[in-house]
Amino acid sequence: MGEGSNSNIYQLFSNPPSYANLTPPGGHMSSHLAREVERLKKKLLELSTTVEENVHRAVRAVLDKDESLADAAIRFDPKIDQMEVEVEEDCLKILALYHPVAIDLRFIISVLKINNDLERIGDLSTNIAARAKSLARLANSDTESNLEQMSELVQGMLRDSLSALIRLDLKLAQKVCNSDQAVDELNRETYKRAHKEILKHPGSVKKMFFYVSVSRNLERIADLATNIAEDVIYMIDGEIVRHRIMTID
């Protein structure tokens, strides 16, 4: 995505998303609570966009061997941390002052969990950026062939999980959950390739270590994108779906 990217989650739609779309179906709030929740939604969506863009920034730094782009991704980490703290404080304020119940409470709980997952994804993007810097300094550090495929799949999962959040799209959230196994398989394949490469070329140990690290961090981002999708499902219908394979009707 980069600084001039035009593919963040706000631009998945022909018009900017209505923040009202994030209100749980059937939710009934007081006017004061509704205003606080509206502020919370906006902050969560801003955090989502920032995190998604930084993942893309870090991945491109790896694929393009771009140290300056990696540095840019690393510089965003404190901003993401601060945004996460603000969202959490807003959630706690709403819980303390308004004592939401039923659907409204479920919404706040989901936001707290998604907020934490987004911050962790931000940390993982920083890890990837650090590996990008190391790879950029190595000679003969051609990108592993399945790493680009894996990064595209993981970024798609993250984008879809955030789109499902914005649109409260149950089927899209289920699709994300069902994509996680493909990422796990690509991560295992990276480990196998690294093992073979090291046996064949012992001098490639450092390079392959960095690629395995990138792969592992991408796999963790996929897990967290799946967590977000599961929380969207919980937000919509109250069903806890962890550790289950989704069936898309």
Side-chain angles (χ1 to χ4, degrees):
M1 245 161 262
E3 303 297 339
S5 168
N6 61 2
S7 34
N8 65 45
I9 58 174
Y10 288 105
Q11 292 157 330
L12 290 173
F13 314 98
S14 57
N15 297 303
S18 167
Y19 295 115
N21 288 345
L22 279 176
T23 303
H28 301 288
M29 305 179 187
S30 70
S31 59
H32 293 296
L33 175 56
R35 282 195 295 270
E36 291 296 330
V37 167
E38 189 69 14
R39 288 179 60 245
L40 177 61
K41 294 171 192 172
K42 291 178 181 179
K43 287 187 177 181
L44 183 66
L45 292 178
E46 289 168 2
L47 174 59
S48 299
T49 300
T50 302
V51 168
E52 187 194 6
E53 289 179 340
N54 216 43
V55 169
H56 182 83
R57 203 175 278 118
V59 167
R60 283 267 41 110
V62 171
L63 299 178
D64 297 342
K65 311 294 186 300
D66 189 332
E67 270 197 81
S68 63
L69 194 56
D71 284 331
I74 292 169
R75 285 196 299 270
F76 266 86
D77 189 53
K79 178 180 179 181
I80 290 170
D81 290 344
Q82 181 58 39
M83 294 172 77
E84 185 262 345
V85 168
E86 290 177 4
V87 171
E88 180 175 343
E89 287 176 345
D90 284 355
C91 286
L92 297 177
K93 175 182 175 183
I94 290 170
L95 289 172
L97 294 180
Y98 300 102
H99 308 291
V101 297
I103 293 172
D104 298 337
L105 177 60
R106 196 163 76 216
F107 173 75
I108 300 301
I109 291 172
S110 297
V111 169
L112 274 169
K113 294 170 69 179
I114 290 168
N115 182 53
N116 180 255
D117 286 339
L118 287 169
E119 189 274 334
R120 290 168 65 193
I121 292 172
D123 288 343
L124 293 169
S125 70
T126 300
N127 293 348
I128 291 171
R131 296 308 183 202
K133 292 184 66 173
S134 298
L135 284 165
R137 295 167 185 168
L138 290 179
N140 302 318
S141 58
D142 293 339
T143 305
E144 282 297 291
S145 59
N146 68 326
L147 199 60
E148 186 162 7
Q149 178 187 359
M150 185 179 183
S151 66
E152 289 174 357
L153 181 55
V154 169
Q155 289 178 94
M157 287 178 65
L158 178 58
R159 183 168 56 250
D160 285 347
S161 69
L162 298 176
S163 179
L165 170 64
I166 291 170
R167 296 187 289 186
L168 290 180
D169 188 327
L170 182 62
K171 288 186 177 180
L172 189 56
Q174 291 170 337
K175 175 189 170 187
V176 172
C177 294
N178 287 335
S179 299
D180 192 43
Q181 289 185 354
V183 175
D184 291 343
E185 181 57 37
L186 286 170
N187 185 49
R188 285 191 290 270
E189 182 63 25
T190 299
Y191 274 79
K192 291 176 184 177
R193 291 188 184 196
H195 179 68
K196 290 179 181 178
E197 178 69 14
I198 291 169
L199 290 178
K200 187 176 180 181
H201 303 290
S204 67
V205 170
K206 184 180 290 187
K207 178 184 76 171
M208 298 315 300
F209 168 78
F210 292 143
Y211 277 127
V212 165
S213 178
V214 170
S215 178
R216 177 58 178 150
N217 279 282
L218 285 170
E219 190 268 338
R220 288 175 177 170
I221 290 174
D223 287 343
L224 292 167
T226 301
N227 289 353
I228 292 172
E230 290 171 346
D231 287 330
V232 170
I233 294 170
Y234 173 74
M235 188 185 296
I236 294 170
D237 61 17
E239 184 181 9
I240 297 174
V241 295
R242 287 192 298 276
H243 316 305
R244 287 171 44 189
I245 299 297
M246 299 291 99
T247 300
I248 302 176
D249 298 327

